[in-house]
Amino acid sequence: MKPPDVKPPDVKPPAVREPAVGEPAVSESAAVPEPGATPGPDSPPEAAVPAEPAVPPEPASVPETAAAGGAPADDHADTHTQTPGELDAPVSTISNEAATRPIGLAAPSGIDRAAHHRLDEAWLAAAWSHPTTRVFVVSGGQALIDDMPDGRTELVMTPSFEAPLTETHRYFLGRDAEGISYFALQKDALPGRMDQSARPAGLREAGLLLSPRDAGLMAHAVALENWQRLHRFCSRCGERTVIAAAGHIRRCPACGAEHYPRTDPAVIMLVTDEEDRALLGRQVHWPEGRFSTLAGFVEPGESIEQSVVREVYEEAGVTVGEVTYVASQPWPFPSSLMLGFMARATSSDVNVDGDEIEEARWFSREELAAAFETGEVLPPYGISIASHLLELWYGRPLPRPGSLG
């Protein structure tokens, strides 16, 4: 997002401190990728997510879990003396127990990606043919999942000798502690249902149901599939590229360029004020009542700390001082890495543009609990890191669909 021309007041951020016990904390080896290549003509967009241009301009929107807005109104121009993105925002890390709770798609999966094997074709061939190897198909961001009799949900995986045929789109995802290798196959469509309970699902659903191992494998595969579909041509010379490194590199046979999977860093932050109220926003295209934390993409030449300060000001017209890192979350919708923060506001007046973000409000815990109870406010999606950030402040799990009376 483009930084505003207006300038906020010169605010010295307060000193960073760790929260006391019981006190709420305050405020989901690769080379640098080449500029994005031209998408292929048959590249399907991720469901409910606009297709990404190969070399995107400054992002016009943020991932679905976060509220995004535009620059504040120009009536601030005469009173500001410093660009928000250049405020000195110190960062520390939260170390309390709540901050270490598992986050969707970010829990340890137990999978060693074994990247040193990706260029060893003989090793990959042996791993593929091993009888313990397990394979699943990914297509359009979806895979087949199966609800088991004991209540667990699993990825539908098969031995490699039962997997659908593919010449090139075979991606090595890693090995577990027992030495079992895992591969994903990219296909134009998922295979037919293998039994009455198996069904296709995307990460937003599956990520809440699958084990950390299966969710991590699926997130890896979905991210690779999206990148492979959208970056089939060399951004230097336009020649069609070929897959290498078990799906983790695309090489240009014409000019020799190597292209690597794309990951876009984005900051997502829960902002609190001096009264310990939380600032939540709602995008214009969200369902009525859906509120979440603020977020936005990190811009070129910008630190993540500067991005937090700039994005909060752009989206809500609120200035930020203290910034505290919490955790990160892979978010392959289609290619983001969410970097979660708590941020302390140094102003409280809210000013949204009404274009991207329709509404932003301060909530006390009591006000938010009452809004949850009446249904006036819907919590962020459970898989997102936004839920984790909000629960750190809220002090207990957020209500989920079906849990409200």
Side-chain angles (χ1 to χ4, degrees):
M1 302 179 70
K2 185 176 296 182
D5 295 328
V6 295
K7 303 177 185 296
D10 187 1
V11 179
K12 182 178 181 181
V16 177
R17 65 176 179 85
E18 297 291 337
V21 176
E23 178 186 356
V26 296
S27 48
E28 211 324 276
S29 65
V32 176
E34 297 294 328
T38 305
D42 59 349
S43 302
E46 173 74 12
V49 178
E52 246 187 16
V55 184
E58 294 161 349
S61 61
V62 299
E64 185 176 349
T65 55
D74 290 339
D75 56 7
H76 289 267
D78 295 335
T79 60
H80 294 72
T81 60
Q82 190 173 17
T83 302
E86 296 178 351
L87 287 178
D88 182 17
V91 172
S92 65
T93 56
I94 290 178
S95 58
N96 60 33
E97 181 179 354
T100 63
R101 290 200 303 266
I103 298 173
L105 307 181
S109 66
I111 298 295
D112 176 3
R113 294 196 173 197
H116 56 289
H117 288 308
R118 292 174 186 166
L119 295 174
D120 189 338
E121 294 297 336
W123 187 94
L124 291 171
W128 174 259
S129 62
H130 197 279
T132 63
T133 291
R134 289 296 177 264
V135 182
F136 65 95
V137 176
V138 61
S139 180
Q142 293 189 319
L144 288 178
I145 63 174
D146 203 351
D147 298 317
M148 310 305 292
D150 60 5
R152 293 178 299 112
T153 300
E154 295 183 345
L155 270 177
V156 174
M157 291 191 271
T158 67
S160 56
F161 58 83
E162 295 180 4
L165 296 177
T166 180
E167 294 183 0
T168 56
H169 294 276
R170 187 170 76 190
Y171 310 143
F172 173 60
L173 304 179
R175 308 180 77 197
D176 64 17
E178 298 176 355
I180 298 174
S181 297
Y182 296 88
F183 288 81
L185 301 181
Q186 177 181 319
K187 303 291 287 184
D188 291 334
L190 294 175
R193 295 192 178 191
M194 307 183 74
D195 56 45
Q196 292 301 314
S197 59
R199 67 183 190 278
L203 266 177
R204 286 182 175 84
E205 176 190 0
L208 290 171
L209 303 174
L210 297 173
S211 67
R213 183 202 71 177
D214 286 4
L217 288 170
M218 185 175 175
H220 189 174
V222 166
L224 284 178
E225 182 215 16
N226 176 77
W227 172 69
Q228 292 283 356
R229 288 185 183 276
L230 297 182
H231 295 79
R232 296 183 298 142
F233 298 90
C234 180
S235 60
R236 287 185 178 177
C237 69
E239 184 71 25
R240 181 182 289 271
T241 55
V242 296
I243 296 174
H248 295 76
I249 294 176
R250 292 193 72 100
R251 289 198 177 108
C252 178
C255 71
E258 289 190 344
H259 306 273
Y260 293 82
R262 172 175 174 164
T263 298
D264 301 320
V267 291
I268 181 167
M269 45 274 171
L270 180 66
V271 181
T272 60
D273 66 2
E274 61 182 9
E275 300 176 33
D276 205 24
R277 299 178 300 171
L279 179 63
L280 302 179
R282 190 173 78 81
Q283 287 192 37
V284 295
H285 63 273
W286 282 358
E288 188 68 29
R290 175 75 67 192
F291 280 80
S292 189
T293 53
L294 304 179
F297 289 101
V298 180
E299 294 187 345
E302 181 179 54
S303 71
I304 55 176
E305 300 91 330
Q306 292 168 334
S307 183
V308 169
V309 176
R310 176 184 54 77
E311 285 288 346
V312 173
Y313 187 77
E314 286 184 357
E315 295 179 359
V318 172
T319 56
V320 164
E322 180 180 334
V323 176
T324 306
Y325 174 76
V326 178
S328 64
Q329 178 189 37
W331 194 247
F333 302 109
S335 56
S336 296
L337 174 65
M338 306 302 294
L339 305 167
F341 295 86
M342 296 292 192
R344 174 68 85 179
T346 56
S347 68
S348 59
D349 290 340
V350 175
N351 184 6
V352 301
D353 67 357
D355 182 17
E356 292 183 69
I357 189 169
E358 187 170 63
E359 183 181 6
R361 294 166 54 186
W362 292 103
F363 292 90
S364 68
R365 291 175 182 81
E366 295 74 18
E367 290 169 340
L368 190 59
F372 284 151
E373 182 67 27
T374 62
E376 177 188 358
V377 170
L378 303 175
Y381 298 98
I383 193 176
S384 72
I385 192 175
S387 291
H388 182 78
L389 296 173
L390 192 53
E391 285 178 355
L392 289 179
W393 166 84
Y394 191 58
R396 57 186 185 274
L398 303 180
R400 292 295 153 211
S403 66
L404 298 175

